[in-house]
Amino acid sequence: MAMTDRPVTVPSDDDVRAEAPPPLQLPNEPPETARARVNRRWNEVLQETRVAQTGVQILFGFLLGVAFTPHFHKLGAFEHTVYVITVILGASATGALIAPVSIHRFLSGRRLKEDIVAVAGRLMICGMVLLALTIGATLLLILSVVVPGHFAEMLVGGVMLWFALCWYGLPIWLRRRSVRRADA
């Protein structure tokens, strides 16, 4: 297949009710239909969900096992509180990241794909925030046991700042830069 050939997409049963703004068009490529765009966006959400779900499920499984270790009962009230918060954050992240699949299954064939994609995107962002908080709380739990004093909190703060820059700051900056380029 030549680089300019596009794979054939099979339209789904879901119709597109509202036109989204057209994506940037590459030269010599046919325009993407609204139905093809929403199907592409749904496939992208599914791929992103698979990546995020794997991470949160592994982390959540680890967290569930921690309470059953002999060392856990020797921890103080602070560590137990952080653990409870961490498990709740992990469960919440799992729920948000799996929700798009459940929503799609319940609403499949109802001509709501555009709405499903929009809601799934918001749930993914929410799930990623919860996942970042789960990772931060997990780090705090582990480092508060291993590293003395407030150094653990400073390390966790640095990691959370890194997450904020990579997961949120960079995409926001790229989006704004793209808008400025399109306006120019």
Side-chain angles (χ1 to χ4, degrees), residues 49-63 89-95 97-98 127 130-132 134-135:
T49 300
R50 286 182 183 115
V51 171
Q53 279 178 352
T54 302
V56 76
Q57 287 171 342
I58 291 169
L59 181 57
F60 191 56
F62 160 76
L63 288 170
L89 286 169
S92 300
T94 301
L97 293 171
I98 294 175
L130 291 167
L131 177 57
T134 303
I135 292 169

Side-chain angles (χ1 to χ4, degrees), residues 39-54 101 124:
N39 286 333
R40 176 185 49 79
R41 289 180 62 217
W42 175 247
N43 287 330
E44 289 170 355
V45 166
L46 285 179
Q47 292 301 328
E48 293 163 359
T49 300
R50 286 182 183 115
V51 171
Q53 279 178 352
T54 302
V101 176
M124 286 293 298

Side-chain angles (χ1 to χ4, degrees), residues 19-30:
E19 284 293 319
L24 294 175
Q25 194 65 39
L26 296 174
N28 302 325
E29 281 199 24

Side-chain angles (χ1 to χ4, degrees), residues 135-137 139-141 143 151-161:
I135 292 169
L139 281 174
L140 182 59
L141 178 63
L143 293 178
F151 188 56
E153 295 163 8
M154 291 189 313
L155 288 172
V156 171
V159 170
M160 295 309 296
L161 178 61

Side-chain angles (χ1 to χ4, degrees), residues 66-87:
V66 167
F68 300 102
T69 62
H71 185 69
F72 181 77
H73 300 290
K74 297 176 188 173
L75 298 176
F78 174 76
E79 288 82 8
H80 283 147
T81 302
V82 171
Y83 175 76
V84 169
I85 292 169
T86 305
V87 169

Side-chain angles (χ1 to χ4, degrees), residues 17 31 38-39 43 53 86-87 89 95-96 111 116 125 127 147-148 162 166 177:
R17 288 181 284 136
V38 77
N39 286 333
N43 287 330
Q53 279 178 352
T86 305
V87 169
L89 286 169
R111 302 175 188 262
I116 292 169
I125 290 170
V147 179
W162 178 247
C166 290
R177 187 176 80 167

